[in-house]
Amino acid sequence: MKIYQVMQRLAPTCLILLMSCGSWAQPFKPVKPVVLSDYQVFPINGVNQIEPSGLTLKADKLYAVGDKHRAIYRLDIKDDEAWLHKEMTLDSERDLGVSVLDLEGITTVNGDFVVVSEAHHRLILIQDGHLQWLPEHGNALYQSAFDDGLLQLHNAGMEGVAYLGDQQFLVAAERQPRGVITVRFDQPLKKINSQKNQLMNNSRQYLHGRHPDLTGLFVHQDRIYGLQRNAYVIHELIKTRPGFYTEGQAWSYEHIVRDPKYAYSDMQFGHAEGLAVDSQHFYLVLDNNRTANARNPHDKRPLLIVAKRPVLHRGD
């Protein structure tokens, strides 16, 4: 049999495999980010050695989680600093039978918090101080994503979450490969009704020799925003069809984190892990992994960046 005949026979099979894994590469045409020029930076106080890993807004107040802490914190700004205040303790041993959560993202659903546990590759719903796994039994969310090529690398798995409405969540798969998981639950938020997994192997940003990543998600006025810390950008995620997205307009905060006043002694990788958005501002929290400020070895505090949102060209 000739080579071209073999290729013709294999082509449909290859196409099916590509479609089943959801690995549709997004266009590689670069997007030049808008530089965020109007901003403030606040060192975060209140909890020793916290590593902020997720951020959200609820009733116009900022809330954060840390990957080594089993709690949700309100994040307030006072004068030139930001302060963490414990909103609630998460009793995972009582409710879930586990002591380690590794929280990496946070969102809200009808006034209740939902957090991401990277250690268990699951979401957690918090209602009236009690914790519930999502899904309630088993871990079909992880298995589906893993089978499609996501969540392959330890400590680079589920990293952010945003609630899309109608029992549907968008979950970030951090890197190698990065991607997004669109999962819809039943009305009681106990069982998965549907799930789509998308690999996003390409980035439209300059990556400084790093891997594309996705470390935060937020939805504001039906627009989805992603945080790509290895490129120092916030960017839109634009739906191209159900469960599939491409990068849109982007905003750069690189000059802020590289400013000698705010830079850390170790800048090998990006640090931003939490993103929130309102009508006026972007909010970013930096997880510096307890690395010291480059100018002050005694200052190991993480940072909150509040940047005014430029007007979008589409009229936002």
Side-chain angles (χ1 to χ4, degrees), residues 19-180:
M19 292 178 67
S20 67
C21 73
S23 181
W24 290 88
Q26 62 186 29
F28 192 69
K29 183 180 178 180
V31 171
K32 185 175 181 180
V34 176
V35 175
L36 295 172
S37 59
D38 188 354
Y39 60 88
Q40 291 179 283
V41 181
F42 305 91
I44 298 175
N45 306 277
V47 180
N48 289 333
Q49 297 185 329
I50 192 167
E51 300 175 17
S53 54
L55 190 66
T56 195
L57 280 162
K58 177 183 174 182
D60 298 323
K61 295 184 182 297
L62 291 168
Y63 292 88
V65 292
D67 50 18
K68 304 294 192 299
H69 292 70
R70 290 184 295 166
I72 294 175
Y73 299 92
R74 191 182 74 249
L75 183 56
D76 298 331
I77 297 172
K78 185 177 180 180
D79 298 326
D80 296 328
E81 297 185 321
W83 291 85
L84 290 166
H85 304 277
K86 185 180 288 187
E87 183 75 8
M88 64 178 72
T89 298
L90 305 182
D91 196 341
S92 59
E93 292 181 338
R94 178 196 67 194
D95 296 340
L96 306 176
V98 299
S99 59
V100 176
L101 292 177
D102 189 4
L103 300 178
E104 295 289 349
I106 181 171
T107 190
T108 60
V109 179
N110 301 323
D112 296 317
F113 290 110
V114 171
V115 295
V116 175
S117 170
E118 186 177 31
H120 300 279
H121 308 292
R122 293 168 89 172
L123 304 179
I124 301 170
L125 172 65
I126 304 160
Q127 286 184 316
D128 300 321
H130 291 270
L131 282 62
Q132 172 193 311
W133 290 120
L134 300 183
E136 186 175 29
H137 301 293
N139 205 352
L141 191 160
Y142 165 75
Q143 195 60 57
S144 171
F146 182 84
D147 290 345
D148 280 352
L150 295 173
L151 310 180
Q152 304 292 308
L153 187 65
H154 174 68
N155 203 33
M158 290 169 56
E159 188 73 12
V161 61
Y163 183 56
L164 304 179
D166 297 324
Q167 295 81 52
Q168 187 172 228
F169 295 85
L170 190 65
V171 182
E174 182 184 352
R175 59 184 168 85
Q176 296 173 264
R178 76 163 174 169
V180 289

